[in-house]
Amino acid sequence: MQRTPLHPLHLEHGAKLVPFAGYEMPLNYSDGILAEHLHTREFAGLFDVSHMGQIDIRAETAAAAAATTEIALALESLIPADLLSLPAGRQKYALLTNAQGGIIDDAMLQNLGERFVLVVNAACKQQDFDHLRRHLGGATRASFPLVMALSDDRALLALQGPAAAAVLAELGHDLDDMKFMAVREMEIAGAACVVARSGYTGEDGFELAMQSADAERVARALLSHPPVKLAGLGARDSLRLEAGLCLYGNDITADTTPAEAGLNWAVSKARRAGGERAGGFPGDHIVLAQTPPNAAPVERLRVGLLPGGRAPVRAGAPLLDADSNAVGEVTSGGFAPSLGCPLSMGYVQPQHADVGAELHAKVRNKRLPVTVTALPFVASNFYR
């Protein structure tokens, strides 16, 4: 198991450590998952997400102004988003697709002016880096060589919750002009940080990237403010589930297309059929066929599921119709602290995907009622 730079801090705060994506990570601290979840919703939770990958992409030569355009176009050959119009100081949710139109990872892509940074899932970071290097290294669509680096000396912290902005203001950064998905470089607690106004909880918040050597100092500076408490993977998962956000490896995989996952919005209009730069990415013939203005049918759709009882319905549970025919499967499930009830997400055949549809989940040979419901379960509070 690898360890993040905040491992000593986790031990100091009584973390329950578990293996996750090759790392020893905190599942929760002494207060427990429920308390960490609710504290994040009301105040601010601090999450160590340093296990995630940070891939730096830049031009070996050429002026930054020219390089940005060509790097964006090169990345568009792998990502079905309009990156050419992504200005410096902004980031975008990005999908990496395969030849079958499946999602090999989801990521955040930041335009930092002279370079781009792709923040990817921990379990996929080496394969993503190899994928980028294989397709964009050497001969590329750019007129100059691209330099790509998967950093092993970077940390990433997520400060999430309604008090997050006030805490950073107390540290000298009034970020009222920084809207959701904005990104900028600044110094926090004496450390050079790349700060993005984003996160994966459905709350307002920030993700702070820095050198590993600075991580503990920044974390302690944030924790010195009473609204901030450490939170682990358990609360991170329950928060993202309430927000209806996909977990890679569960809700989206290399066998899932954007349309099936309800992620057509991540396929920019400029890249769709009839757009200015339609297609040109792996699996485009499948992805664009399923994406408006086209409407090729899909075999399954991601939906929210509300169990009828108090028992959680977790990943892997088959979904059945009234005649006990298999019509889908649960991909994420657990207890929702904000709602005081269990909830799940999963895939069902399109004819069973309407909100209000009544199904059953098979759990330990018992049929438990579940109702298809709209996503998200808890409204998002992004700062727009």
Side-chain angles (χ1 to χ4, degrees):
M1 290 293 105
Q2 299 183 68
R3 293 173 174 176
T4 74
L6 291 185
H7 185 76
L9 189 67
H10 300 323
L11 295 178
E12 179 184 321
H13 286 263
K16 178 181 179 181
L17 298 169
V18 297
F20 183 80
Y23 283 79
E24 194 174 11
M25 297 293 294
L27 178 66
N28 59 271
Y29 300 87
S30 54
D31 287 343
I33 294 173
L34 177 66
E36 293 167 16
H37 177 115
L38 295 175
H39 185 87
T40 301
R41 285 272 186 248
E42 187 174 1
F43 300 105
L46 182 63
F47 300 81
D48 179 11
V49 288
S50 302
H51 59 311
M52 298 184 71
Q54 300 180 52
I55 302 174
D56 189 272
I57 306 161
R58 65 179 74 209
E60 185 176 72
T61 57
T68 299
T69 297
E70 293 203 45
I71 295 173
L73 288 172
L75 287 168
E76 282 192 2
S77 69
L78 299 178
I79 297 170
D82 180 4
L83 305 179
L84 193 59
S85 66
L86 180 66
R90 296 289 296 174
Q91 67 177 7
K92 180 169 285 191
Y93 181 73
L95 302 175
L96 289 165
T97 56
N98 60 23
Q100 293 73 43
I103 301 168
I104 60 176
D105 201 7
D106 63 337
M108 299 302 298
L109 181 65
Q110 302 172 340
N111 182 350
L112 296 177
E114 80 288 357
R115 72 189 196 279
F116 286 79
V117 174
L118 196 64
V119 182
V120 300
N121 286 297
C124 304
K125 59 185 178 182
Q126 188 59 55
Q127 75 166 30
D128 291 348
F129 181 62
D130 293 342
H131 180 72
L132 289 168
R133 190 166 50 182
R134 183 168 58 252
H135 289 278
L136 301 183
T140 74
R141 296 191 177 196
S143 60
F144 45 79
L146 296 182
V147 177
M148 289 170 279
L150 173 59
S151 175
D152 58 0
D153 192 33
R154 299 284 289 174
L156 188 63
L157 305 179
L159 180 67
Q160 300 286 291
V167 169
L168 290 180
E170 291 179 13
L171 288 171
H173 297 283
D174 184 348
L175 301 177
D176 280 352
D177 64 332
M178 190 176 180
K179 305 299 183 183
F180 179 58
M181 298 296 270
V183 57
R184 65 179 59 163
E185 297 178 88
M186 64 185 73
E187 187 174 288
I188 297 175
C193 298
V194 176
V195 178
R197 194 155 200 169
S198 59
Y200 221 58
T201 62
E203 292 294 335
D204 181 27
F206 302 85
E207 293 173 304
L208 296 74
M210 68 215 70
Q211 290 294 317
S212 295
D214 296 325
E216 187 171 336
R217 184 169 77 255
V218 173
R220 290 189 184 278
L222 295 170
L223 289 168
S224 69
H225 296 265
V228 182
K229 288 188 176 181
L230 286 168
L233 292 177
R236 181 173 168 84
D237 190 56
S238 57
L239 288 159
R240 71 91 195 165
L241 183 54
E242 287 185 349
L245 300 172
C246 294
L247 175 64
Y248 192 82
N250 283 49
D251 309 298
I252 48 177
T253 70
D255 297 320
T256 312
T257 67
E260 291 173 333
L263 297 176
N264 272 340
W265 56 268
V267 181
S268 300
K269 289 185 178 180
R271 311 299 309 284
R272 298 182 184 185
E276 299 167 8
R277 297 183 307 287
F281 53 88
D284 55 357
H285 61 296
I286 295 174
V287 172
L288 296 191
Q290 297 177 350
T291 305
N294 297 323
V298 296
E299 295 183 359
R300 57 182 187 151
L301 289 168
R302 180 171 64 94
V303 297
L305 298 163
L306 194 62
R310 300 289 296 174
V313 178
R314 303 190 185 277
L319 293 169
L320 313 173
D321 65 11
D323 297 319
S324 296
N325 298 309
V327 298
E329 184 180 26
V330 173
T331 52
S332 284
F335 184 78
S338 304
L339 303 176
C341 66
L343 48 78
S344 304
M345 285 196 300
Y347 285 84
V348 298
Q349 296 169 357
Q351 63 268 32
H352 298 285
D354 292 339
V355 171
E358 298 292 339
L359 300 171
H360 286 86
K362 188 175 181 181
V363 180
R364 293 188 295 275
N365 292 320
K366 292 182 179 180
R367 288 167 49 95
L368 303 181
V370 296
T371 303
V372 175
T373 189
L375 294 171
F377 300 99
V378 174
S380 298
N381 293 310
F382 301 132
Y383 183 73
R384 301 183 188 277

